[in-house]
Amino acid sequence: MLSYTEQPNAVRRLMRFTLEWLNRLKGVDVIFFFIVMLLKQLWFNKLIHVPNMDMDGYDTVVAIGTLALVTFWTFWLPTRGRIIALIALNLLLSFIMYADLIYYRYFQDFISVPVLLQANQVDSLGESIGTLMHAKDFLLGVDWLLIIPFGVYVIWKGRLDLRKDSNGYGYGYSSPRRTPLWRKAVIRIAVSAAIFAIGMSMSIGNVNEAKKTWALGLFDGNWWNVSLYNVTGIVGFHGYDVYRYAKLHWIDSEQASAEETAEAMAWTEARGDKRQSLESDPTFGEYKGSNVIVVQMEAFQNFMIGKSIGGQEITPNLNKLVKESAYFSQFYHQTAQGRTSDADFLSNCSLQPMMSGSVFIQYPNHQYNCMTSTLKDNGYATAAFHAYEGGFWNRNTMYANMGYDTFYSKKNYDMDEPLGWSLGDNSFFRQSVDLMAKEEQQPFYSFLITLSSHYPFTLPESEQKLNVGELDGTIMGDYLQAVHYVDASIGTFIDRLKAEGLWNNTIVAFYGDHDNSIRDWSLFETFLGQPLNDLQREMILKQVPFIVHLPDGKYAGTHTNVGGQLDVTPTILHLLGISTADMTLLGQPLLTSQPQSKLVVQRSGAFTDGTVYYMPSGDAVAENGKCWNIAANKLGDVQKCLGAVEDARTELSMSDQIVQHDLIASFRAAAVEASAGGGTATAVSTSGAGR
């Protein structure tokens, strides 16, 4: 130990001097922390450089507020404890920002709790990490060169030096008068409480105000972590992310009882039994071993098919394809708040979406029987293609769990045709086929998501090929132009598949993901040339095309049996001869020799069997709903719909239990247990397990 007469070296004297003054000037260390961390957040924002998300006055206030919430408790501690805590917080927050920066450069998203729980996504960076690191990034940690040695000094020598200072051994300074412990405690509690209150007002208060105005609905949809960051700041985002995960999985989470699990298992087994009964149909396995390409078309609605304007067909290529394919004219999207991600989940995993938010965001690590993993288990190479940010809708995490071998996102495409939100669909299809053609393994499953017909449907004038007449300059006119452009891109896509020799050995399916978000019904009436009642409006909003082209062109024509996005996976797996009897899926095959009756249930509780369409009332009283006769296009007796109301509610309830309580994992565990015990397993098999 250093004696009091021994003179410390210059570095030690400087550190001791700094510590003594931090001890005397209470709170200066916290002010330094705020300044340094605020500068780091400004630098972080500059490094990620998200368009239209530069930090402004609002962001600075929120950032200061979140720092206050992170540090208020440090005032409970004595000087040494507070300094050590602030240094630890600096190291932690700096590391988080740096990790987010590297992750963002690869995935265009920030690290979240589900990502941490699915480590293979982070591991996928692999050798790429070196290429993602830039020299200027290290400014996020340049202060570590000072604070780490100082922290070591404070831990090992600080107590002794502060004791000397308090005994009058400081560098010429007299010892301050001791403050009673009770007064210290009162002051510390009061100061920390004040900082906490200020932090709450500056951060959560401002965020809550934003949620009512320019960020309205953002925290309900949670569609992209980067959008949340734009409201909360990087420190606030991670705080909200932990809260969001805890609320979903711990605070509001209730384990399903044994009775509820058994009931859900029996209900899904009944669905499986119905699908199994169709395996004797001639269509089962008729296209065994075929490649599969599924295209999810952005905001593509059924009322566009076969229509013309100004003497031009709006969708000439799809109109031609409809004649050569199985076209389902009473096919409904079943999406809710998750919109595009809901359509993806419904069509690939055959479960209902959540009423609020998105399964992709809320439950990305739960187990599902998705078509992707099922095909992968049956020897298929699997890939998803979408020329947008990989982190949008949490696709990076969800797609890994669904079983995709590869996810080609915006970073994998050459932006040679910037259009709308991202890459024009014409280039997107061309580059996607280039990637498919490089894939030597067959059979393969490719899932493509288009983007050019996304709201607000803005196209350059050179791509506006239609004469939309009086709709020119309206959102509907822009929508027609966008749909026509996408249709032309699909035509080129089909020609390319034929040229690559893929058209005749591949099941190629197209479906619309959701409606176009246009709510000015006068525009629809102008386009369609007739007034629209409530049923017709609902049909326009909910019906999307579903077109399945088979390698030999068989079953071509219009199929009027009712269906929904839940039925996409069962339909394709049925044609491939892959049994879904033991899978937890809600849909059923639509393409069979004899059309099957079924109920298409909307998340709102609305439903149709193809003959009636039930619209629930706002008070949830079944008898107060409306029962429309589809053929007559008029309201009918509500009693004709009431018999199916409970069936629709049961489907929604069972699906919610399966998703929220991760019951597929429970079903599998029960199957393993039954098998080990020598009994007959009645739960689902491990085929198509989530990854």
Side-chain angles (χ1 to χ4, degrees), residues 614-626 638 642 645 649:
Y614 176 76
M615 299 180 190
S617 62
D619 60 10
V621 177
E623 290 79 3
N624 293 341
K626 295 179 179 180
V638 72
L642 293 184
V645 168
R649 291 177 176 176

Side-chain angles (χ1 to χ4, degrees), residues 44-45 48 53 110 225-234 237:
F44 172 83
N45 182 267
I48 63 170
M53 290 191 188
F110 297 135
N225 288 332
V226 178
S227 297
L228 296 176
Y229 156 74
N230 190 37
V231 182
T232 64
I234 194 62
F237 163 72

